[in-house]
Structures are given as structure tokens and as C-alpha cells.
Amino acid sequence: MTLSILKDEQGLEIGKVVVFDDLTLIVNAQRAAAWTEVARRIAHEIKNPLTPIRLSAERILRKFGGQIQDPAFRESTEMIVKQVNHLKNLVNEFSQFARLPQTRPVRGSIHKTIDEVLMIFRHSHVNAHFEYNPGQGVPEFRFDPDQMRRVFVNLVDNSLGACHSDPQNPPIRIQFRTKYEPVMKVLRIYVTDNGPGIPATDLQKVFDPYFSTKESGTGLGLAIVKKIVEDHNGIIRAFGNEPRGTKMVIEIPVSDIDFKKHT
Ligand SMILES: Nc1ncnc2c1ncn2[C@@H]1O[C@H](COP(=O)(O)OP(=O)(O)OP(=O)(O)O)[C@@H](O)[C@H]1O
Ligand SMILES: [Mg+2]
């Protein structure tokens, strides 16, 4: 914000001009860049010693497992191997976040991508109710189907996680809805659940890398989601759902000019 004082010829104050600059985009980009660098470095530093640690533990187990009868020996070495594998997965997530593959947009139907994702979850979570209300006149447009699939999988994963940890435990309902705004050429995708919801103070933070309220969460899920949506020139925001739960809203521009630029 800059403030200038307006004075007349006698030097008397006659007013003030206040100019506000919206730095949100710049600040967001700087934060993302800083986190990407941190993620890349941590991934690199942690990854190197993991394989030798695991191989050594396996070797100890192979070499002395037969001689040492104390069950603590086997339990402890197996625990090392298990935890190292867990760390490795975590590091892979870090690396994925640090270098998400280049977006490869192809012209296609977002309905198809949503249907595919819901099909997988319907099979794996038969007790949850998944619903999809496709909007009228949603056109085909250029997007990266693999990356958008990751977006939807992450959102559904979060919804299921939230619903499963919900002490109120109502029947799980996860709903997708799309709506096309022809004037603005914007596609809105709503993903809602009836879980415990996100506290109002956390609604912005959930997209920050490493923000997680879960014991074993990396907190990278929604950061990756946000990055993919932004790579599609879109935005994602979190709201409370009525009467309860979470509502994620994605807005993606569907532009003819973009189609031509990419082809
Ligand atoms: N649908 C939801 N309902 C309630 N809370 C949510 C929902 N989606 C996200 N959150 C909150 O946002 C946090 C961040 O989500 P994010 O996907 O980034 O990481 P995570 O799910 O904790 O970890 P990971 O994705 O690695 O498993 C979650 O820990 C949870 O507190
Ligand atoms: Mg998640």
C-alpha cells in the first residue's frame, strides 16, 4: 500500500491518495517456488542413504536370523525395513511435488475422467455413495487427463479419509457436479462430501505444502492438486458444505484460443 498526501499551493493538506497493490499472485508464486526447492533438496538428501540402510538390515536378518532366537531381533530388523519403505514412499511424494510432469493437454471430455475416477472408488468403497451430476452443455476442452485424474483421486481420498474419521459417522456421500458458464467460458467442478468439514481457520492453509492434520499424511495432496489446477490456468478453493462437510470448487477456463495455441 502506498499513501500520498495531496497539498494545495499553500502547502495545506487537501486529501490523500491510497494505492493498494494486490500481490497475492506474486507472493503465491514465491511461496510455491521456495517450497519446491525445499522439497527437492529434502528428497535428495533423504533418498541417498535409504537403500543401504534397508539392504544392511536385510543382510543382518539373513545372516544372523537363524542363530538369534530372541523375537525382538526379527521384529526390530523387520521394523527397520518397513519404516525405510515408508520413508521411501514419502520421499517419492516429495520428488513428485518438486517436479510434477509437464502438463500434456489433449482435447477431451472431463465427464469421462470424472466417471473413470468414480468407477474405481465405487468398486473399492462399496459402503460410500458416489454421485455425479454433469452440467448442461459442458464442452470438450484441452486438459491433461492423467493429471486431472490425480486431482480427483486426491480430493476423493481426502473426503473418504475425513468421513472415515468422522465421529458422527453418517452414511458417506461424495458428490461431483459440473457447471459450464458459457459467457465466461469457465467450467466449475464441485466436489462435496458430508464429512466433518475443514475448520474456517484452515480453509486457506489446506493447500499449503505439508499442512496435514493426519498422523501419516504428507500434506502434499492438496498442494499437488492446486499446482495441477493452476497449470490448467484454473483456481481451486475450499468452502464449507451445507449442511455439513467440505466443498471444493475448481474453476478452469475453457478457451477456444487456448485450443489453437496448443495445437
Ligand atoms: N474433504 C476434507 N474434509 C476435511 N478435511 C480435509 C478434507 N480435505 C482436506 N482436508 C484437510 O486438509 C489437510 C491437507 O490435505 P492434503 O491432501 O494436502 O494432505 P493429507 O491428506 O493430510 O496428506 P496426504 O494427502 O499425503 O495423505 C488434511 O490433513 C485435512 O486436515
Ligand atoms: Mg490428502
Side-chain angles (χ1 to χ4, degrees), residues 93 154-155 158-159 162 193 196-198 206 208 211-214 216-223 246 248:
E93 288 270 350
N154 263 305
L155 294 181
N158 280 346
S159 288
D193 66 56
I198 300 170
V206 291
D208 283 350
F211 176 87
S212 178
T213 56
K214 298 172 192 167
S216 62
T218 65
L220 286 175
L222 285 181
T246 300
M248 292 288 181

Side-chain angles (χ1 to χ4, degrees), residues 31 196-214 222 226 236-240 246-248:
R31 264 164 97 192
I198 300 170
T201 46
D202 290 348
L203 283 174
Q204 306 236 333
K205 289 189 219 154
V206 291
F207 298 104
D208 283 350
Y210 312 112
F211 176 87
S212 178
T213 56
K214 298 172 192 167
L222 285 181
K226 182 166 177 249
I236 177 163
R237 280 170 297 183
F239 299 92
T246 300
K247 174 159 77 180
M248 292 288 181

Side-chain angles (χ1 to χ4, degrees), residues 160-184:
L160 284 169
C163 291
H164 280 131
S165 66
D166 185 359
Q168 288 199 25
N169 203 20
I172 299 175
R173 269 178 68 102
I174 295 172
Q175 188 195 43
F176 275 69
R177 193 155 60 85
T178 47
K179 189 165 190 288
Y180 181 57
E181 303 281 352
V183 179
M184 304 292 286

Side-chain angles (χ1 to χ4, degrees), residues 1-197:
M1 187 183 98
T2 41
L3 172 73
S4 313
I5 295 173
L6 293 180
K7 291 185 177 157
D8 63 11
E9 303 87 64
Q10 276 94 47
L12 291 174
E13 189 182 321
I14 51 170
K16 297 182 181 72
V17 179
V18 185
V19 180
F20 294 91
D21 280 318
D22 184 356
L23 299 177
T24 319
L25 278 178
I26 297 170
V27 172
N28 279 353
Q30 279 173 347
R31 264 164 97 192
W35 276 112
T36 306
E37 185 55 30
V38 171
R40 193 177 288 140
R41 281 189 190 190
I42 294 179
H44 182 77
E45 293 303 318
I46 297 180
K47 215 171 192 168
N48 282 342
L50 285 186
T51 306
I53 294 175
R54 202 195 70 210
L55 291 178
S56 305
E58 282 170 350
R59 185 160 170 233
I60 292 172
L61 187 62
R62 250 198 333 271
K63 208 158 175 205
F64 303 105
Q67 300 163 30
I68 300 173
Q69 300 307 320
D70 189 337
F73 177 77
R74 179 168 285 273
E75 275 165 31
S76 310
T77 38
E78 280 174 355
M79 178 62 86
I80 294 173
V81 174
K82 199 174 135 202
Q83 293 298 329
V84 165
N85 281 338
H86 173 74
L87 257 183
K88 212 167 190 176
N89 287 339
L90 196 84
V91 171
N92 283 339
E93 288 270 350
F94 276 134
S95 323
Q96 270 185 14
F97 175 67
R99 9 183 184 90
L100 274 184
Q102 191 70 29
T103 314
R104 291 209 174 75
V106 288
R107 198 185 169 108
S109 150
I110 198 83
H111 292 323
K112 214 176 121 215
T113 308
I114 295 175
D115 272 338
E116 279 167 11
V117 170
L118 289 184
M119 180 115 79
I120 300 167
F121 280 105
R122 280 193 185 113
H123 282 298
S124 59
H125 292 79
V126 283
N127 291 328
H129 177 74
F130 296 95
E131 197 178 305
Y132 177 32
N133 298 321
Q136 292 278 309
V138 177
E140 291 203 338
F141 68 105
R142 288 181 72 94
F143 63 94
D144 184 325
D146 289 335
Q147 297 221 27
M148 286 311 289
R149 201 174 297 125
R150 286 181 73 185
V151 165
F152 300 141
V153 166
N154 263 305
L155 294 181
V156 176
D157 254 347
N158 280 346
S159 288
L160 284 169
C163 291
H164 280 131
S165 66
D166 185 359
Q168 288 199 25
N169 203 20
I172 299 175
R173 269 178 68 102
I174 295 172
Q175 188 195 43
F176 275 69
R177 193 155 60 85
T178 47
K179 189 165 190 288
Y180 181 57
E181 303 281 352
V183 179
M184 304 292 286
K185 294 203 165 133
V186 164
L187 172 69
R188 289 212 178 89
I189 306 167
Y190 301 85
V191 183
T192 54
D193 66 56
N194 62 340

